[in-house]
Amino acid sequence: MCGIVGYVGKRNSQEVLIEGLKKLEYRGYDSAGIAVFTEGGLQIRKSKGRLAILESQLQQAPLSGGIGIGHTRWATHGKPSDINSHPHTDNSQKFSVVHNGIIENYIALKEELQAQGHVFVSETDTEVISHLIASLYDGDIVKAVQQAVKRMKGAFALGVLTEYEPEKLVAVRLQSPLIIGVGEGENFIGSDIPAILEYTRNVYILNDGEMALLTKDGVELMTIEGNFISRETFHVDWDITTAEKAGFDHFMLKEIHEQPKAYRDTMSSRIDESGRKVILNEVKMTPEQIRGIRNIHIVACGTAYHAGLVGKTVIEHLARIPVETDVASEYRYRSPIITPETLVIVVSQSGETADTLAALREARRCGARVLAITNVVGSSVAREADDVIFTWAGPEIAVASTKAYTSQLIAFYLLGLYLAQTLETQEEAYIAELIAAMQQLPGKVEALLAQAETVKQVAEQVAKHDNLFFIGRGLDYAIALEGSLKLKEISYIHSEAYAAGELKHGTLALIEEGIPVIALATQPDLFEKTVSNIKEVTARGAYVIGLHTEGDNELAKTVDQTFAIPETLPLLMPALSIIPLQLLSYYASLARGNDVDKPRNLAKSVTVE
């Protein structure tokens, strides 16, 4: 996945494609490529690395033609490499495809095509699409694409060319964004508006289940079933910076709103069709090796460490294996007890976090098996770990992590369930109940995001203070820690999170009249004790904002203001309760006039110890 550009018209398509891909570089990528119809037929240039490498190749051997597709890739299936880069073709080199998203059933399709004699050269799911379309082609590229799409499961946006119909460009959208740019004697596709904004401001925004046929003379919109659609173009009046952010004011806000998709993508292909079992093909441990695990260490930094705190509770609850959590920068220096029966789980959004890498290497030196949770295919952590669970959150631009963190939570839920299945520590019915509830999480996140204006009002009041506290118990405490970190890293408000039961052991001395306290009370088995702790701070003049589960009417009797979280199983509540806290941090930072996406003194990827 990452950036798609396509062009058909009177210009030299190579130039349009490269300029469009440059406009999408902000999305992050690990390789780039283009396919262009030339007098000699379909020609492809692609390479691992930055777009400048591809440009250099094209300067040496330019491609000339009026129709083409281009792509910048953020690896999901297969490491970053020249071969795995897009565009992909079939064996005849007559069909070419660029693709964002994930094809969940690509293995089954690949095996079927191999049985027919197709030979694959890459590790990607995308290459399967080009072979599938080729196998179905009977002279009509639109029909072949429609037939192929009906056989594919997952989320995707496609740009498709065939040498047999060199004047046509086909585009498809299912969940992954895709837009169509309409010009005079030329038309465009793009995964985001910046790719085509230099050439036209008139666009069609494809909806899920829609596709388009583009020629230089026009655009035909239709459903995947082939029903034609009539629609007015949308005129873009944003500036280029706003367009890169898809209309959001900041990348952080955009990424907060991308979390429903990140949840779906991270779960995608990891839950079987029955909805009762987790499949983690990337975890190569045998059942015997899993049964041999005596203890687990979760090691990470910052936000990833907070995900690990949730992971500890999830794994202990589901798999009944003792789990320790460690800050990576401290792990090596406390002489941890690591044996071959220890599973070390390292968590890193970038996969390049120096302290986490050092901890990984120490664990392997001591003979432990290492499982990584990371967002970046081909990163150092991914390469050096024994097993990897990738969080398919997509590129995250804002320094303050949001969707990468919540995708890590989803990865821990999947891992906990997978271990429980293997060890038979939970009833099948309970596992199925958890999986069903997980699949409902994206919709519940969308419901929370719809209440952003309510959170904004609270944040504007919070922003007037210089000190603030978060409290919670159990999983609520883990989320309090992450909520507090988010607030201080972008709003610069001094914020501390405490296990609510610890207040009376010293922290109450800091509670004074009017100080805001964010109290999380979403765990039923700890609710009454949390209310008692809240009363301790209200008795000393604190202004308490309580987060509770929908249907609870008790917390409002104790606090000054409440915010309701949609109901889910208590174990899954962190995946929801963090959303309003992310929004709180964003709007508080905005109210203080800070640079939300680039907070002072911080970097996105910390590659020094």
Side-chain angles (χ1 to χ4, degrees):
M1 64 172 66
C2 206
I4 287 176
V5 181
Y7 176 75
V8 53
K10 54 197 174 185
R11 305 175 195 261
N12 183 354
S13 63
Q14 173 184 304
E15 296 174 3
V16 177
L17 297 174
I18 292 299
E19 289 305 311
L21 293 177
K22 285 181 179 179
K23 297 299 192 299
L24 298 177
E25 283 191 287
Y26 72 91
R27 297 162 67 96
Y29 64 101
D30 52 54
S31 57
I34 65 171
V36 173
F37 281 128
T38 69
E39 289 184 355
L42 183 62
Q43 299 288 319
I44 294 175
R45 301 283 188 275
K46 57 184 184 176
S47 65
K48 174 185 173 183
R50 310 307 293 174
L51 193 56
I53 298 173
L54 178 64
E55 276 195 282
S56 178
Q57 292 180 1
L58 291 168
Q59 287 172 359
Q60 300 298 318
L63 301 178
S64 179
I67 181 170
I69 50 178
H71 192 269
T72 50
R73 177 177 187 254
W74 177 276
T76 56
H77 291 66
K79 65 185 178 182
S81 69
D82 291 353
I83 290 175
N84 288 334
S85 304
H86 296 212
H88 284 282
T89 64
D90 70 309
N91 291 144
S92 72
Q93 304 285 302
K94 302 294 186 183
F95 296 83
S96 185
V97 173
V98 289
H99 162 226
N100 281 350
I102 297 162
I103 307 304
E104 297 175 10
N105 61 332
Y106 84 100
I107 293 176
L109 291 171
K110 184 174 183 178
E111 290 173 349
E112 177 185 322
L113 290 162
Q114 285 173 324
Q116 297 173 12
H118 291 254
V119 178
F120 291 82
V121 298
S122 78
E123 304 169 89
T124 69
D125 55 344
T126 305
E127 188 186 0
V128 172
I129 305 171
S130 56
H131 286 262
L132 181 60
I133 292 171
S135 73
L136 297 168
Y137 184 72
D138 65 356
D140 186 336
I141 186 59
V142 172
K143 181 180 176 182
V145 171
Q146 288 170 338
Q147 291 176 339
V149 166
K150 289 174 184 176
R151 299 204 55 203
M152 290 154 46
K153 298 178 181 178
F156 44 85
L158 306 177
V160 182
L161 299 176
T162 178
E163 191 171 309
Y164 296 117
E165 300 179 64
E167 75 287 357
K168 296 178 180 179
L169 168 58
V170 179
V172 182
R173 175 186 177 171
L174 189 66
Q175 295 186 27
S176 191
L178 199 66
I179 59 101
I180 309 296
V182 181
E184 293 289 335
E186 58 184 359
N187 294 295
F188 310 78
I189 68 171
S191 52
D192 211 344
I193 288 172
I196 55 91
L197 204 53
E198 179 180 341
Y199 306 102
T200 181
R201 289 181 174 268
N202 295 317
V203 303
Y204 294 116
I205 300 175
L206 291 184
N207 297 319
D208 281 346
E210 293 182 351
M211 61 185 296
L213 171 63
L214 290 76
T215 66
K216 63 182 178 62
D217 298 319
V219 175
E220 290 184 349
L221 302 181
M222 66 193 82
T223 65
I224 290 172
E225 290 74 28
N227 300 316
F228 288 96
I229 299 166
S230 177
R231 180 180 301 153
E232 295 294 321
T233 58
F234 169 72
H235 183 76
V236 180
D237 54 9
W238 313 329
D239 61 34
I240 188 66
T241 302
T242 301
E244 289 174 351
K245 297 167 186 170
F248 291 97
D249 291 336
H250 299 89
F251 283 113
M252 182 179 178
L253 187 60
K254 176 176 179 280
E255 288 155 9
I256 289 172
H257 281 261
E258 288 174 339
Q259 287 176 115
K261 181 179 185 300
Y263 283 30
R264 292 186 182 102
D265 287 350
T266 301
M267 286 187 277
S268 178
S269 77
R270 289 165 171 165
I271 296 171
D272 76 353
E273 291 184 359
S274 72
R276 300 179 66 85
K277 186 177 180 181
V278 169
I279 302 168
L280 288 181
N281 291 326
E282 55 265 68
V283 175
K284 305 303 181 185
M285 284 184 286
T286 65
E288 291 73 22
Q289 288 172 319
I290 290 174
R291 284 191 283 269
I293 298 170
R294 293 292 171 263
N295 65 320
I296 294 174
H297 296 174
I298 298 176
V299 186
C301 301
T303 285
Y305 172 73
H306 294 157
L309 293 175
V310 175
K312 168 185 167 68
T313 297
V314 169
I315 292 171
E316 288 188 337
H317 173 77
L318 293 174
R320 308 309 296 159
I321 301 173
V323 181
E324 299 177 27
T325 52
D326 271 275
V327 174
S329 57
E330 296 290 326
Y331 185 64
R332 290 181 298 156
Y333 305 108
R334 70 171 181 84
S335 299
I337 299 172
I338 305 171
T339 72
E341 290 75 39
T342 302
L343 174 66
V344 176
I345 301 173
V346 296
V347 191
S348 169
Q349 177 269 329
S350 68
E352 302 294 345
T353 310
D355 289 316
T356 305
L357 264 172
L360 180 158
R361 291 164 181 162
E362 176 66 10
R364 295 205 65 186
R365 187 188 69 80
C366 295
R369 189 179 187 96
V370 177
L371 184 152
I373 296 175
T374 184
N375 199 39
V376 182
V377 175
S379 62
S380 298
V381 160
R383 293 195 309 270
E384 297 187 32
D386 298 289
D387 306 283
V388 186
I389 299 175
F390 290 108
T391 55
W392 293 330
E396 190 176 65
I397 308 302
V399 168
S401 180
T402 53
K403 64 176 181 173
Y405 164 76
T406 48
S407 296
Q408 289 163 2
L409 298 186
I410 300 298
F412 271 119
Y413 291 131
L414 292 167
L415 178 61
L417 288 165
Y418 183 75
L419 295 174
Q421 286 170 186
T422 305
L423 297 172
E424 298 180 340
T425 50
Q426 302 294 331
E427 296 290 335
E428 290 183 5
Y430 178 56
I431 289 174
E433 183 185 11
L434 272 168
I435 291 172
M438 284 178 64
Q439 292 176 311
Q440 294 174 4
L441 290 174
K444 293 178 187 291
V445 173
E446 289 166 350
L448 282 166
L449 294 172
Q451 300 180 65
E453 190 61 33
T454 300
V455 180
K456 181 180 179 182
Q457 294 170 11
V458 175
E460 288 171 348
Q461 293 302 311
V462 165
K464 299 173 183 178
H465 295 265
D466 294 322
N467 297 284
L468 183 141
F469 292 96
F470 287 77
I471 61 173
R473 300 183 75 130
L475 285 170
D476 282 340
Y477 173 48
I479 295 306
L481 286 164
E482 174 59 13
S484 176
L485 176 61
K486 279 292 148 294
L487 187 69
K488 55 191 160 193
E489 69 181 331
I490 63 171
S491 75
Y492 317 145
I493 297 171
H494 175 250
S495 171
E496 299 296 337
Y498 288 92
E502 286 294 292
L503 289 169
K504 53 188 172 290
H505 297 291
T507 309
L508 280 174
L510 297 175
I511 301 298
E512 55 190 29
E513 190 70 30
I515 193 167
V517 174
I518 310 293
L520 288 90
T522 71
Q523 297 297 302
D525 58 336
L526 291 165
F527 182 81
E528 291 181 357
K529 292 186 180 298
T530 303
V531 169
S532 295
N533 301 140
I534 291 171
K535 288 180 177 178
E536 292 172 354
V537 297
T538 56
R540 289 158 178 83
Y543 184 89
V544 181
I545 302 157
L547 271 67
H548 63 101
T549 306
E550 284 180 355
D552 161 55
N553 298 314
E554 294 301 312
L555 191 64
K557 300 174 183 178
T558 306
V559 303
D560 298 283
Q561 194 167 352
T562 61
F563 186 89
I565 310 295
E567 283 190 275
T568 189
L569 295 176
L571 192 66
L572 302 180
M573 187 56 74
L576 299 179
S577 59
I578 189 57
I579 305 299
L581 301 186
Q582 293 172 342
L583 290 168
L584 179 80
S585 303
Y586 170 79
Y587 286 118
S589 178
L590 202 62
R592 287 186 154 221
N594 297 337
D595 187 339
V596 173
D597 289 331
K598 297 179 181 179
R600 66 190 183 198
N601 305 330
L602 300 178
K604 184 63 180 170
S605 179
V606 183
T607 55
V608 294
E609 290 189 67

